[in-house]
Amino acid sequence: MSHTHRRDGRGRRRGGRNKARGRPCGAWGAALALACAAALTACGPDGGDADAAGTASDAPTSSAPTESAPAPTGTGTPAEPAQPPPPPTSAAPSASPKPGGIARCETDGLALSLVAHGQEMNSKYFDLRLTNTGGEPCDLLGHPGVSLLDAGGKRVGEPATRSQDGAGDGGPVRLRPGQAAHATVKTAGEGVTDGRCWPEAATLLVYPPGSKQTVTTRDLAGLRVCGDSFQVGPVGDRAP
């Protein structure tokens, strides 16, 4: 009996020790579980701070559209003043006006004549006259074109070259009805050329200045070109 009681006593003592050890183990387990739950609540999925993660997730990303600055309304002073637009291109100028603002003399209103004016030194001079036969004033400006024709209408020699002989100053000459413009025709004297002269002409043909039409006369006043010298000056308002 006493032996049995010792075993039971030992068993009771051993059982009491196990119970005492089991209680602390259960309390520590519960405390550990609570600590883990708190840790899971406080920690983010990556182990970072929960508040920092929340703040980062709430921050706007760079993909959000940004508002562009409003365009200037033009009420402020620009950095550089605007340049005025270029002036419109003017229309092509019309043909230049007639000399003195009056119509140029046309061939149907002119009469041609040639008057011998004498000889000086080794040259002979002739006064070529263009007379206004119309009813209105007209103007002439420049050199006439002068040629000689034979009886068959073929040109004799070469056209006269231009010179500055005569009373014309190169300006316009205004002819009232009945008035004449004058141009000086010059050639070498026959005696100083040893007879080297062109064949005698039958017609004097003249282009008035600025005209493409001609006037003619058969009265050559003894003109015969010698020494290959045949010149004409500009028109003027008086005889040379």
Side-chain angles (χ1 to χ4, degrees):
M1 289 293 291
S2 60
H3 177 73
T4 302
H5 288 303
R6 283 197 298 270
R7 270 202 305 264
D8 293 338
R10 291 177 184 170
R12 283 195 295 269
R13 285 195 295 270
R14 290 173 182 170
R17 290 194 184 108
N18 289 339
K19 289 180 181 179
R21 292 174 181 171
R23 281 197 300 269
C25 182
W28 282 107
L32 180 61
L34 290 175
C36 289
L40 289 175
T41 303
C43 296
D46 295 331
D49 183 52
D51 292 339
T55 303
S57 64
D58 293 339
T61 64
S62 60
S63 62
T66 57
E67 295 182 1
S68 59
T73 60
T75 57
T77 302
E80 294 182 1
Q83 297 298 324
T89 304
S90 59
S94 59
S96 58
K98 305 300 182 184
I102 295 181
R104 184 184 65 220
C105 298
E106 303 293 344
T107 54
D108 57 358
L110 290 173
L112 172 64
S113 61
L114 189 67
V115 177
H117 192 64
Q119 183 170 342
E120 182 179 347
M121 300 296 289
N122 297 324
S123 299
K124 296 180 69 173
Y125 295 89
F126 297 82
D127 179 19
L128 185 154
R129 299 177 181 178
L130 292 168
T131 303
N132 180 8
T133 60
E136 299 292 335
C138 62
D139 284 353
L140 289 176
L141 174 63
H143 289 73
V146 181
S147 294
L148 296 172
L149 305 178
D150 63 15
K154 185 178 179 180
R155 192 178 69 196
V156 177
E158 298 296 329
T161 59
R162 293 181 177 183
S163 73
Q164 294 303 318
D165 292 317
D169 59 2
V173 178
R174 180 161 299 170
L175 303 179
R176 294 192 298 271
Q179 285 187 322
H182 304 264
T184 298
V185 175
K186 182 176 71 172
T187 186
E190 185 175 353
V192 300
T193 61
D194 297 329
R196 293 182 292 106
C197 299
W198 295 353
E200 291 188 6
T203 302
L204 178 68
L205 180 146
V206 173
Y207 289 88
S211 177
K212 295 183 179 180
Q213 304 298 321
T214 61
V215 290
T216 60
T217 181
R218 288 184 176 273
D219 185 0
L220 299 184
L223 171 64
R224 187 180 185 187
V225 176
C226 298
D228 294 330
S229 176
F230 187 32
Q231 299 177 358
V232 62
V235 295
D237 58 358
R238 62 187 185 275

